[in-house]
Amino acid sequence: MFNENIYKARRKEFVSRMQALGAEGVAVFLGNGEAAMNYSSNSYRFRQDSSFVYFWGIDEPGFAASINLSNGKECIYADDVDIDDIIWMGPQPTVLDKAGKAGVDKVSKYADFDTAVRFALQNDIPVHFLPSGRYFNRMKMAELTGSTAAQVYKTAPYDEADYVHSSLEMVKAVVSMRLVKDDAEIAELDHACDMGVQMHTIGRNGCRLGALERDLAGAMDAFAATKGWGVSFPTILSQNGQILHGHDHSGVITEGRLLLIDAGLTLDSYYCSDFTRTLPSSGKFTTMQREIYDIVESCNEFAFNMVAPGVSYRDVHLATCRHMLCGLKDLGLVNGDTDVMLAEGIAGMFMPHGLGHNMGLDVHDMEDYGENYVGYDEDQQRASQLGLGSLRMARKLVPGNVITDEPGIYFIPALWEYFRKNGLDKGFVNFDKLQAYADFGGIRLEDDILVTENGARHLGTTRLPIKSAEVEDAMKQ
Amino acid sequence: MFNENIYKARRKEFVSRMQALGAEGVAVFLGNGEAAMNYSSNSYRFRQDSSFVYFWGIDEPGFAASINLSNGKECIYADDVDIDDIIWMGPQPTVLDKAGKAGVDKVSKYADFDTAVRFALQNDIPVHFLPSGRYFNRMKMAELTGSTAAQVYKTAPYDEADYVHSSLEMVKAVVSMRLVKDDAEIAELDHACDMGVQMHTIGRNGCRLGALERDLAGAMDAFAATKGWGVSFPTILSQNGQILHGHDHSGVITEGRLLLIDAGLTLDSYYCSDFTRTLPSSGKFTTMQREIYDIVESCNEFAFNMVAPGVSYRDVHLATCRHMLCGLKDLGLVNGDTDVMLAEGIAGMFMPHGLGHNMGLDVHDMEDYGENYVGYDEDQQRASQLGLGSLRMARKLVPGNVITDEPGIYFIPALWEYFRKNGLDKGFVNFDKLQAYADFGGIRLEDDILVTENGARHLGTTRLPIKSAEVEDAMKQ
């Protein structure tokens, strides 16, 4: 994908960061295998491991790689094709040719990777590897290291004890690099966002009373598959926006509803986009809808304006929640001291998720490495409060960070009950008034932003319409 | 999906077939988990285990089930949702409600499945389960049974020793049932084929000089995702038809080429279709193309006419290969005694795959259970010869079998070299004449057929144009 010098420079930097962390031995990178759909030889579309792509650039199953941390020696492990492969998959360049494009001149058979890892462990040479959410990788690394699959991958939140088998140093070194995007990456992300805007435009243009959610989602997904690798995540396109990850598309676009579309496109390079817009089903917001919409839109703008190097995204999240509570107070849905409400986590009843997440080769960048290492600094502790507890990115921002800005307001009667039953509302919520919103749904507005030297900019060359009047105008066309 | 009585009847029949095979203890069915795309919480579209769907009808992750083979007692294991699930996925029916739709009235927590399996094994009660190609299932069953993941799933061909951990009796009982489709299943397959015909029509209508393969494939995939669960397998759409499973779509439709489209649609019920057509890029075959095309089309017709209860599909494969050799002999590409050529496997140089496979809930039905159990009778041995050795379905046909009829002729220079180098051509092949076909590509023509009481019929209400003149006519529109 990129020039081989980019991969070589990344690996060199990686080795020096590993050494700075005191890591010794060998670092290994296991590329992804195929993932069976319904039986072994019928696979989902192949998706390479993102860090494998980042450091080695090779986008095929059946690859692994190693770096000796003391002398920087590298090797790529994979098998050349035989006559059967040629019949089924066509002629292929050699492994040596493929390795050459990543700036590597030593290759070995795939099975030698297993031998190398086992040999190192038998000789007390530390073997560093990354956790992976792919079962193939977990099974393979568990087998090679004599661990259980659960030990080589623990779900977040992590603590250091979970890294007995996979490597905390390697997580830290990789995270420190991938969190800061270089110019080549930013160009890809800009392009992914441009494509993501086109994908969303297809959805918006299809939003007409009587249309099927399924047809809109299908047309958007087709665009993603045609112009890139595919969708960044299963498209959320629903008139029940209060369900945060609602993947049901069985609805018909119906008068008076809000259609929430949260969707992104992943390029062939795997750099991706992730936008959310919420549209009035008929093309025009009702007064009640517009009141809530404008609060969310104002929160999106408020957060964007606050983003700058040196600011922690946790502070942006909290200040945006405060801004939201002010808006809800104006509508009479909550009452009381705003700062006390904020501290008591009242915003979480309306926005039970975090303001945003890192984005790059993964739409939730590196989430499998443990959100507490990816999205949190050494001196930040994850909260348990609903909403803030789900914040995936809390770090102090630096130029090159790519994050989403995605406030939302959702009306979830089951959550109101939960708050009331557990006394979490602390008397701040006007439940009587809330009843009128029981069928409202939810609104989320999400942009992808780059932290720059002086502040931030939206990724991509054009921004999807976001102000309520702009959205209505766009839907007239 | 179907009425609960269908599932109850299937499970009752399953228990009686297991008993007839002498199986004791408990049979367990593990539904599929999610499969991570790039990180754990970002999954590919969920696909349920096909036998879980067949016997229990529940199409969600996080389910397992058991049947006591002595008394028929059943239990479904799954967890009800909590407030977090409601926030992210919306309100859900209870597990008991879902089980009720499968005719089951006993439910238990998902973790109880693990306990039940471990308890049975500790008490020497046999636990029968099916092999699975999904790594999640392999990991889980390996963990529960104290096996390695490789032991609970071995790639074909199997021998009985591989079933120490998974159950050969269960494979045999399930295969014997799922191979014979009932009326409800046939109705689904007819519908899947109708949708598959529409999907192919989109591809054919898009085939114009200068069009991008990628756009055609994208439009077909979008149709599959919009009208059903999605594609039955990654769409093959290529002007290099000689690559049997070529998933590259980077080409531009170019004068004088043949565009091979092998694609199918899977319904929400998971019943699927699988058709192949090969189109002249410009809408008109060249003489050379038509000569080969007409042989393949004649083979497709020849095979279809031979299909009837009592005939083995291995015999249909061989007779069709013989028919193909006659055609190739007429063109002077091979010379010699047709029966000797057939016995020497010369057809395999032109068609290095089998004539067809079983189809149903899986496009290669039950392939993970071992093709030698699915596609072969007790008294049939798998051949090693190229072509015949790849035949996935060799059995004596019975009414209700659903199979594909997919002869092909491919010109693969690397394979010619392989035959020549290893003396496999035995002097029958006219390599001089073959040189003119080095850039020809390949042709495959595939229909989905149902074995009936008296013979066979094509599934679906309309058949895709297949005769060379029909194809050219269809492309004029």
Side-chain angles (χ1 to χ4, degrees):
Chain A
M1 161 72 207
F2 296 128
N3 180 287
E4 65 175 85
N5 293 324
I6 289 190
Y7 300 112
K8 282 167 92 164
R10 285 177 181 171
R11 295 194 301 269
K12 199 174 161 201
E13 180 63 27
F14 166 74
V15 170
S16 93
R17 293 195 191 196
M18 287 295 276
Q19 287 169 342
L21 289 163
E24 296 180 341
V26 60
V28 301
F29 295 79
L30 177 61
N32 285 342
E34 298 278 12
M37 202 152 63
N38 46 340
Y39 52 89
S40 302
S41 70
N42 198 27
S43 306
Y44 287 108
R45 178 151 204 193
F46 176 70
R47 163 81 208 210
Q48 182 58 292
D49 176 79
S50 296
S51 285
F52 200 87
V53 168
Y54 184 83
F55 287 106
W56 308 89
I58 298 173
D59 186 19
E60 290 178 54
F63 277 75
S66 65
I67 308 182
N68 184 319
L69 295 175
S70 57
N71 61 17
K73 274 199 181 171
E74 301 170 333
C75 183
I76 282 179
Y77 305 84
D79 294 325
D80 280 310
V81 296
D82 62 15
I83 183 70
D84 262 354
D85 297 320
I86 292 173
I87 293 172
W88 293 90
M89 302 180 304
Q92 307 281 329
T94 64
V95 171
L96 196 60
D97 287 343
K98 292 172 187 170
K101 293 197 172 164
V104 177
D105 55 13
K106 184 164 184 315
V107 300
S108 201
K109 284 193 186 359
Y110 189 64
D112 293 339
F113 175 74
D114 297 17
T115 313
V117 171
R118 288 204 173 97
F119 175 85
L121 290 171
Q122 278 156 12
N123 289 280
D124 286 331
I125 299 168
V127 175
H128 300 268
F129 62 93
L130 293 166
S132 166
R134 301 268 295 207
Y135 289 112
F136 166 83
N137 302 49
R138 289 165 67 176
M139 270 175 49
K140 191 170 177 67
M141 292 314 298
E143 202 187 305
L144 292 179
T145 59
S147 321
T148 68
Q151 284 169 324
V152 300
Y153 173 79
K154 290 265 186 181
T155 47
Y158 290 87
D159 64 50
E160 304 217 0
D162 296 329
Y163 281 88
V164 172
H165 297 268
S166 50
S167 162
L168 184 56
E169 292 95 340
M170 189 155 169
V171 164
K172 286 182 176 172
V174 171
V175 165
S176 70
M177 291 179 69
R178 284 182 53 192
L179 272 188
V180 181
K181 274 71 179 174
D182 62 30
D183 290 347
E185 294 186 279
I186 292 166
E188 286 294 310
L189 287 162
D190 271 324
H191 184 50
C193 286
D194 282 342
M195 292 290 108
V197 164
Q198 287 189 43
M199 180 183 173
H200 263 266
T201 303
I202 289 169
R204 192 183 63 229
N205 289 343
C207 180
R208 295 282 175 268
L209 296 177
L212 303 181
E213 290 175 359
R214 187 166 191 155
D215 287 337
L216 273 58
M220 291 175 71
D221 290 1
F223 181 83
T226 308
K227 301 297 180 190
W229 179 83
V231 294
S232 304
F233 53 90
T235 294
I236 298 168
L237 187 148
S238 172
Q239 293 165 95
N240 289 304
Q242 78 283 5
I243 302 171
L244 301 191
H245 281 179
H247 295 301
D248 179 80
H249 300 152
S250 62
V252 180
I253 305 295
T254 303
E255 178 75 49
R257 302 292 299 163
L258 290 165
L259 179 67
L260 186 150
I261 306 181
D262 185 351
L265 179 147
T266 293
L267 299 176
D268 285 337
S269 64
Y270 295 125
Y271 288 93
C272 64
S273 60
D274 178 9
F275 295 115
T276 309
R277 287 296 183 266
T278 307
L279 310 169
S281 58
S282 61
K284 218 168 150 45
F285 292 102
T286 65
T287 305
M288 196 187 211
Q289 288 170 344
R290 188 190 310 267
E291 285 169 352
I292 301 296
Y293 186 96
D294 289 345
I295 298 174
V296 180
E297 190 271 315
S298 163
C299 287
N300 171 291
E301 179 84 0
F302 179 92
F304 175 73
N305 287 332
M306 216 178 137
V307 169
V311 178
S312 90
Y313 211 49
R314 179 192 165 95
D315 289 343
V316 182
H317 170 96
L318 287 170
T320 305
C321 286
R322 193 185 185 288
H323 187 75
M324 181 183 292
L325 287 169
C326 293
L328 293 169
K329 206 157 112 174
D330 289 345
L331 290 180
L333 293 174
V334 295
N335 303 297
D337 183 279
T338 313
D339 290 308
V340 179
M341 283 196 278
L342 182 69
E344 294 287 356
I346 302 304
M349 201 186 83
F350 298 92
M351 182 171 101
H353 63 69
L355 179 64
H357 51 80
N358 291 290
M359 194 184 83
L361 284 164
D362 303 314
V363 62
H364 290 179
D365 217 18
M366 299 173 277
E367 188 169 283
D368 272 334
Y369 300 164
E371 287 183 351
N372 289 354
Y373 291 112
V374 177
Y376 287 74
D377 292 325
E378 310 269 288
D379 50 348
Q380 279 167 332
Q381 275 257 304
R382 192 95 179 233
S384 62
Q385 223 172 45
L386 197 68
L388 185 58
S390 295
L391 183 64
R392 301 174 195 276
M393 170 57 172
R395 279 177 183 268
K396 199 165 278 192
L397 301 168
V398 298
N401 285 163
V402 168
I403 48 182
T404 64
D405 166 14
E406 48 176 317
I409 295 180
Y410 313 91
F411 295 93
I412 310 170
L415 189 56
W416 306 344
E417 267 319 293
Y418 176 81
F419 264 66
R420 187 140 55 176
K421 217 168 59 190
N422 295 285
L424 299 174
D425 61 289
K426 313 259 174 176
F428 291 113
V429 180
N430 187 340
F431 285 107
D432 287 343
K433 211 153 189 175
L434 260 187
Q435 294 313 316
Y437 293 81
D439 295 322
F440 183 96
I443 292 172
R444 178 164 63 250
L445 297 172
E446 176 183 24
D447 291 319
D448 301 332
I449 62 186
L450 170 71
V451 182
T452 59
E453 293 298 331
N454 310 311
R457 72 167 174 87
H458 290 105
L459 282 164
T461 46
T462 51
R463 190 174 173 212
L464 283 165
I466 190 161
K467 297 209 174 283
S468 46
E470 284 172 6
V471 170
E472 290 179 340
D473 275 352
M475 289 184 75
K476 279 185 201 142
Q477 289 155 19
Chain B
M1 160 72 208
F2 296 129
N3 179 287
E4 66 176 83
N5 292 323
I6 289 190
Y7 300 112
K8 282 166 91 164
R10 285 176 181 171
R11 294 194 301 267
K12 201 176 158 198
E13 180 63 28
F14 166 73
V15 169
S16 93
R17 293 194 190 195
M18 287 295 277
Q19 287 168 344
L21 290 163
E24 296 180 339
V26 60
V28 301
F29 295 80
L30 178 61
N32 285 343
E34 299 277 13
M37 204 152 63
N38 45 341
Y39 53 90
S40 302
S41 70
N42 198 27
S43 306
Y44 287 108
R45 178 150 203 195
F46 176 71
R47 162 82 207 208
Q48 183 56 293
D49 176 79
S50 296
S51 284
F52 200 88
V53 168
Y54 184 82
F55 287 106
W56 309 89
I58 298 172
D59 186 20
E60 290 178 54
F63 277 75
S66 65
I67 307 182
N68 183 319
L69 294 174
S70 57
N71 61 16
K73 274 199 181 171
E74 301 170 335
C75 184
I76 282 179
Y77 305 85
D79 295 324
D80 280 310
V81 295
D82 61 16
I83 185 71
D84 262 355
D85 297 319
I86 292 174
I87 293 172
W88 293 89
M89 303 182 304
Q92 307 279 328
T94 63
V95 171
L96 196 60
D97 287 344
K98 292 172 187 169
K101 293 197 172 165
V104 178
D105 55 14
K106 186 168 184 311
V107 300
S108 202
K109 285 192 184 0
Y110 189 65
D112 293 340
F113 175 75
D114 296 18
T115 313
V117 171
R118 289 204 171 98
F119 174 85
L121 291 171
Q122 277 157 11
N123 289 281
D124 286 330
I125 299 168
V127 175
H128 301 268
F129 61 93
L130 293 165
S132 166
R134 300 268 293 206
Y135 290 112
F136 166 83
N137 302 49
R138 289 165 69 175
M139 268 175 52
K140 188 168 179 68
M141 292 313 300
E143 202 187 306
L144 292 179
T145 59
S147 320
T148 68
Q151 284 168 323
V152 301
Y153 174 80
K154 289 267 187 179
T155 47
Y158 289 87
D159 64 49
E160 303 217 1
D162 297 329
Y163 282 88
V164 174
H165 297 268
S166 50
S167 162
L168 184 56
E169 293 95 339
M170 190 156 168
V171 164
K172 286 182 177 172
V174 171
V175 166
S176 71
M177 291 180 68
R178 284 182 52 191
L179 273 188
V180 181
K181 274 71 179 174
D182 63 28
D183 290 346
E185 292 187 280
I186 292 166
E188 286 295 308
L189 288 161
D190 271 325
H191 183 50
C193 287
D194 282 342
M195 292 291 107
V197 165
Q198 286 190 44
M199 180 184 172
H200 264 265
T201 304
I202 289 169
R204 193 183 63 230
N205 289 342
C207 180
R208 296 282 176 268
L209 296 177
L212 303 181
E213 290 175 359
R214 186 165 192 157
D215 286 338
L216 273 58
M220 292 176 71
D221 291 0
F223 181 83
T226 308
K227 300 295 180 191
W229 180 84
V231 295
S232 303
F233 52 90
T235 294
I236 298 168
L237 188 148
S238 172
Q239 293 166 95
N240 289 304
Q242 78 283 4
I243 302 171
L244 301 192
H245 280 180
H247 295 301
D248 178 81
H249 300 153
S250 61
V252 179
I253 306 295
T254 305
E255 179 75 49
R257 302 292 299 164
L258 291 164
L259 178 68
L260 186 149
I261 306 181
D262 185 350
L265 177 147
T266 293
L267 299 176
D268 286 337
S269 64
Y270 296 126
Y271 288 94
C272 63
S273 60
D274 178 8
F275 296 114
T276 310
R277 288 297 183 265
T278 307
L279 310 170
S281 58
S282 62
K284 221 171 146 42
F285 292 103
T286 66
T287 304
M288 196 188 213
Q289 288 170 345
R290 188 189 312 268
E291 285 169 352
I292 301 296
Y293 186 95
D294 288 346
I295 297 174
V296 180
E297 189 272 314
S298 164
C299 288
N300 171 290
E301 180 83 0
F302 179 91
F304 175 72
N305 287 331
M306 216 178 137
V307 169
V311 179
S312 89
Y313 210 51
R314 180 194 165 96
D315 288 344
V316 182
H317 171 96
L318 287 170
T320 305
C321 286
R322 193 186 185 287
H323 187 74
M324 181 182 291
L325 287 168
C326 293
L328 293 169
K329 207 158 114 174
D330 289 346
L331 290 180
L333 294 174
V334 295
N335 303 297
D337 183 279
T338 313
D339 291 307
V340 179
M341 283 197 280
L342 182 68
E344 294 286 357
I346 302 305
M349 201 185 85
F350 298 93
M351 181 171 100
H353 63 70
L355 180 62
H357 51 80
N358 291 290
M359 194 184 83
L361 284 164
D362 303 315
V363 64
H364 291 178
D365 217 17
M366 299 172 280
E367 188 169 284
D368 272 334
Y369 300 164
E371 286 184 352
N372 289 355
Y373 291 111
V374 177
Y376 286 74
D377 291 326
E378 310 269 285
D379 51 346
Q380 279 168 329
Q381 277 256 303
R382 193 98 180 231
S384 62
Q385 224 173 44
L386 197 67
L388 184 59
S390 296
L391 184 63
R392 300 175 196 276
M393 169 58 172
R395 280 177 182 266
K396 200 164 277 191
L397 300 167
V398 297
N401 285 163
V402 168
I403 48 182
T404 63
D405 167 15
E406 48 176 316
I409 295 180
Y410 313 90
F411 296 95
I412 310 170
L415 189 56
W416 306 345
E417 267 320 294
Y418 176 81
F419 264 66
R420 189 144 47 181
K421 216 169 59 191
N422 295 286
L424 298 174
D425 61 291
K426 313 263 173 171
F428 291 113
V429 180
N430 187 340
F431 285 106
D432 287 343
K433 212 152 188 177
L434 259 188
Q435 294 315 315
Y437 293 80
D439 295 322
F440 183 96
I443 293 172
R444 178 164 66 250
L445 296 171
E446 176 183 26
D447 290 320
D448 302 332
I449 62 186
L450 170 71
V451 181
T452 60
E453 293 298 330
N454 309 311
R457 72 168 174 87
H458 290 106
L459 282 165
T461 47
T462 51
R463 190 175 173 211
L464 284 164
I466 189 162
K467 296 209 175 284
S468 46
E470 284 172 5
V471 169
E472 290 178 341
D473 276 353
M475 290 185 74
K476 277 182 202 145
Q477 288 154 20

